[in-house]
Amino acid sequence: MSTQDQHGRGHPHPARTRLRAPRLLAAALTLATALGATLAPAPQRAAAKEKRVLTVAVAQSVDSLSPFLATRLVSTSIHRLMYEYLTDYDPRDAHVVPGLATAWKPSPDKLTWTYTIRSDAKWSDGRQVTAEDAAWTFRKMMTDEGAATANGSFVGNFAKVTAPSPTKLVIELKKPQATMTALDVPIVPKHVWDKVRDFSKFNNDRSFPVVGDGPFVLTDYKPDSYVRLQPNKTFWRGAPKFDELVFKYYKDGDAAVAALQKGEVSFVSGLTPAQTAALRGQKNVKVNEAPGRRFYALATNPGAHARNGRRFGDGHPSLLDERVRHALFMAVDRRTLIDRVFQGHAVQGEGYIPPRFSTYFWKPSADQELSYDPAGAARLLDEAGYRKNGDGRRVGKDGRPITYRLLCHATDPNDKAVGQYLKEWWGKLGIGVTLDCLDNVTDPWLAGRYDLAFDGWSVNPDPDFVLSIHTCAALPATPKDTGATDNFICDRKYDELYARQLAEYEPAERADVVKQMESRLYDLGYMNVMAYPNAMEAYRTDQIESITTMPEKSGNIYGQDGYWSWWSAVPADSGTSSGGGSTGIVIGVGAGFVALAGAGAFLALRRRATAEDRE
């Protein structure tokens, strides 16, 4: 439905039957018209006002509106608004707080977890949310390969899930699992989703409004164009304050910035340094810059393959050699990229998890680091047997000069800028590069039709999900299926470490194992992190009076571990003064909250990236 369809004016009260004379009726109508909404009840006065729309410009299109399939950040962020999870994360510091579950408790052996499901949550169609909805969601992921596409790693260790009562959910595990207060799975309404026949194909975009229990209800969607949501008036935390939330897709970042300047959108993220500088100091525009929660990396194709052993795709065979992968990264001057491409608005990349998450941040030792060393890179290529021919080109085993296809996002100016540097640096090594910049990188990526690719994920306070996408279990079952893998990495030593961290409840011990996993990824060279970009975003203060950042101090607005930003946003014309550019949210935990003694704060810190989120 269009914006115009949603705008309306309050109507005067209809004439009452006891008004007998036409003159009296006319006088009454004239008076009502003159006074307008002043005499109308509160709901009609609200209807008389212009609808307050919060429009968010996004650079990603939605991959799927099904929470069982979506992996892009924009999609998983929207699902956070549509569906509640068992637990949420406090926007101040990301410690765990109740979501759909008000309390949780493990058995002494940590193999059985019991959750108390709140009794004051309703689906947007009026039906009660129950523990059976959660149990059904998890069981469907356990038994249906299609339903496990995006979030299957969460339930791989589940043995049994039951709902003994409407407010009691019981999950039995095969072995202890440290992420049981961090099950970032959208809980869906059983009475709607049990009608779906093929979860691998159903995109949740056939009828509107879409039934959910989150702060917003999805009301309309047009692929590669927009997503519209309206407040869920029955949301248990309280309804959002804007009348409508719109995510509008912009293929071009400059066009999104221009729309912000004109007031056509309320918010824009993913700004370049030049765009950020241009917006600073502009009237009615506030710029927000914060340490980022994502990494910016080079991913290599390690030979795409499925769990059944079948190989597919057409990755260059030279990249199967670890020495070649290391040589390529040793020829990347990360400092130059930080200074010239990101213009200082980023931190030099090292390990897999950004420094914002200090518990798990890791950096290579001096003798392990693949530092900038073009001469050393050339020696590695020589040792691997890829020597230069008479034209100065490195030659493959087939005798042909090596030219790598580098998959990049057409909408990301950083990809194009970094790509030019890589062409120059690798060209000096004798290796050609073809930039393959596409609007849709997903299809060739999943098909393994690339040599290298620009990669990036939003990392959560608990890194389990972004670690899981490099396990052998994340590979597609067959070449025709879609797995949860990032770039087809399958390493048995890494898998062993992943299993150890998942079962480790002691925070320091678990952090140590996670760092070993990062070290293993670094040494394999399939995933080389170049930078941790800052989050750079801006919003119009004449449209948004206040909005919550996460974390509260120096945090981001877009892509949070929760729904706090859009749920908390106060319209500029609301008359509610917050006294600043952002507003904190106090989350009451209530008497029913049960914390796991000795587990430490790490149990609270978990969010998909996106699934969150390939960017």
Side-chain angles (χ1 to χ4, degrees):
M1 68 184 61
S2 68
T3 303
Q4 185 176 1
D5 292 331
Q6 290 301 300
H7 282 261
R9 297 292 177 182
H11 298 286
H13 290 295
R16 300 180 188 273
T17 56
R18 63 174 175 265
L19 293 178
R20 298 175 181 174
R23 181 176 295 180
L24 183 58
L25 173 59
L29 290 175
T30 300
L31 179 61
T33 302
L35 294 177
T38 304
L39 296 180
Q44 289 186 325
R45 290 201 302 271
K49 295 179 180 180
E50 189 80 5
K51 190 174 68 170
R52 297 172 300 190
V53 180
L54 197 167
T55 303
V56 179
V58 293
Q60 272 187 329
S61 58
V62 170
D63 55 342
S64 177
L65 288 175
S66 166
F68 297 98
L69 299 178
T71 59
R72 292 183 184 174
L73 179 60
V74 65
S75 307
T76 56
S77 296
I78 290 170
H79 290 142
R80 268 287 191 187
L81 304 175
M82 297 168 60
Y83 304 103
E84 265 284 30
Y85 297 13
L86 287 183
T87 57
D88 290 322
Y89 305 94
D90 191 294
R92 293 168 297 188
D93 58 8
H95 76 267
V96 73
V97 295
L100 188 57
T102 61
W104 44 90
K105 186 176 182 180
S107 60
D109 62 3
K110 309 294 193 299
L111 292 177
T112 301
W113 284 74
T114 302
Y115 301 81
T116 300
I117 302 301
R118 64 176 57 256
S119 58
D120 59 347
K122 290 184 178 297
W123 296 110
S124 54
D125 62 2
R127 296 182 61 161
Q128 185 72 28
V129 181
T130 69
E132 179 57 27
D133 292 305
W136 184 89
T137 299
F138 290 127
R139 288 197 301 264
K140 177 56 65 173
M141 293 168 58
M142 293 165 63
T143 58
D144 188 314
E145 189 86 32
T149 299
N151 297 313
S153 63
F154 290 102
V155 300
N157 185 42
F158 287 14
K160 185 179 181 181
V161 183
T162 57
S165 77
T167 58
K168 186 177 182 180
L169 173 70
V170 179
I171 300 178
E172 299 176 35
L173 304 173
K174 300 172 186 175
K175 56 186 178 181
Q177 182 169 323
T179 59
M180 294 305 288
T181 57
L183 298 175
D184 291 342
V185 175
I187 303 302
V188 303
K190 175 184 176 182
H191 67 280
V192 174
W193 285 82
D194 63 2
K195 299 177 179 63
V196 176
R197 295 185 178 225
D198 189 343
F199 278 75
S200 67
K201 296 180 180 178
F202 181 71
N203 282 310
N204 200 23
D205 58 359
R206 296 179 181 176
S207 62
F208 302 97
V210 176
V211 178
D213 63 342
F216 289 89
V217 177
L218 179 64
T219 57
D220 195 15
Y221 165 63
K222 183 178 180 181
D224 300 321
S225 183
Y226 63 80
V227 176
R228 294 184 184 277
L229 304 101
Q230 292 183 357
N232 180 359
K233 301 298 184 182
T234 63
F235 183 52
W236 67 273
R237 285 195 198 275
K241 299 173 182 64
F242 274 87
D243 300 314
E244 186 174 52
L245 173 63
V246 179
F247 289 88
K248 188 174 181 181
Y249 173 63
Y250 283 87
K251 181 178 177 180
D252 181 76
D254 288 333
V257 170
L260 180 80
Q261 292 172 317
K262 296 175 184 177
E264 295 172 354
V265 301
S266 316
F267 175 92
V268 64
S269 63
L271 298 173
T272 65
Q275 291 166 342
T276 301
L279 289 173
R280 289 190 190 277
Q282 287 199 14
K283 183 179 179 181
N284 295 327
V285 173
K286 180 177 177 62
V287 172
N288 183 60
E289 182 169 356
R293 56 179 288 237
R294 65 180 293 257
F295 60 78
Y296 183 81
L298 269 175
T300 63
N301 185 339
H305 58 291
R307 291 202 303 272
N308 66 1
R310 292 284 302 278
R311 293 193 172 273
F312 57 94
D314 57 3
H316 200 285
S318 64
L319 294 172
L320 299 179
D321 192 319
E322 184 178 289
R323 292 169 295 183
V324 174
R325 299 193 297 270
H326 283 183
L328 292 176
F329 197 53
M330 290 168 62
V332 175
D333 186 351
R334 288 168 289 165
R335 187 69 257 165
T336 292
L337 297 181
I338 298 300
D339 293 341
R340 297 185 182 177
V341 176
F342 295 98
Q343 297 181 29
H345 298 273
V347 176
Q348 183 171 310
E350 293 175 304
Y352 188 62
I353 297 173
R356 169 168 165 172
F357 307 109
S358 57
T359 300
Y360 301 105
F361 177 63
W362 169 90
K363 56 173 29 178
S365 60
D367 59 349
Q368 182 184 19
E369 183 179 9
L370 300 172
S371 56
Y372 181 55
D373 182 4
R379 287 193 298 270
L380 276 180
L381 292 173
D382 288 341
E383 291 174 12
Y386 297 98
R387 297 182 176 274
K388 291 183 178 180
N389 61 15
D391 296 326
R393 294 290 306 278
R394 298 278 172 179
V395 178
K397 304 298 183 183
D398 58 1
R400 299 171 60 184
I402 296 175
T403 297
Y404 292 134
R405 299 160 300 164
L406 179 55
L407 191 60
C408 78
H409 304 75
T411 57
D412 191 337
N414 289 332
D415 282 9
K416 297 175 183 177
V418 173
Q420 294 304 318
Y421 279 103
L422 296 182
K423 289 177 72 172
E424 175 187 345
W425 293 331
W426 292 349
K428 293 178 180 179
L429 289 176
I431 292 176
V433 177
T434 300
L435 284 179
D436 193 8
C437 296
L438 306 173
D439 291 334
N440 174 18
V441 301
T442 301
D443 290 344
W445 198 308
L446 295 178
R449 296 194 305 270
Y450 66 96
D451 298 323
L452 297 108
F454 289 109
D455 199 5
W457 286 82
S458 291
V459 179
N460 310 308
D462 184 295
D464 178 72
F465 181 82
V466 291
L467 296 173
S468 75
I469 60 178
H470 297 306
T471 60
C472 300
L475 295 173
T478 73
K480 295 182 179 180
D481 294 311
T482 300
T485 185
D486 181 31
N487 63 321
F488 306 101
I489 295 175
C490 179
D491 177 71
R492 297 302 173 185
K493 181 176 179 180
Y494 180 87
D495 274 17
E496 292 172 3
L497 291 169
Y498 177 78
R500 281 179 55 193
Q501 69 82 30
L502 187 62
E504 180 58 68
Y505 278 81
E506 205 288 313
E509 292 295 328
R510 182 170 182 244
D512 180 67
V513 178
V514 168
K515 290 176 182 179
Q516 292 180 51
M517 296 176 69
E518 295 182 78
S519 178
R520 180 63 177 169
L521 274 181
Y522 188 90
D523 289 343
L524 289 172
Y526 291 122
M527 174 68 65
N528 293 302
V529 177
M530 294 183 288
Y532 310 113
N534 289 353
M536 294 188 288
E537 49 200 9
Y539 64 90
R540 291 197 63 93
T541 56
D542 56 350
Q543 296 185 27
I544 302 173
E545 178 181 322
S546 62
I547 193 166
T548 294
T549 56
M550 183 178 185
E552 188 175 53
K553 296 181 179 179
S554 303
N556 57 290
I557 295 172
Y558 181 75
Q560 294 180 358
D561 297 303
Y563 40 66
W564 310 115
S565 53
W566 315 127
W567 175 73
S568 71
V570 177
D573 62 350
S574 67
T576 302
S577 176
S578 64
S582 64
T583 179
I585 301 175
V586 178
I587 307 299
V589 257
F593 180 81
V594 178
L596 175 60
F602 83 93
L603 286 176
L605 308 178
R606 172 67 171 83
R607 166 67 180 98
R608 259 203 67 189
T610 79
E612 175 199 273
D613 310 2
R614 177 180 292 136
E615 298 183 5

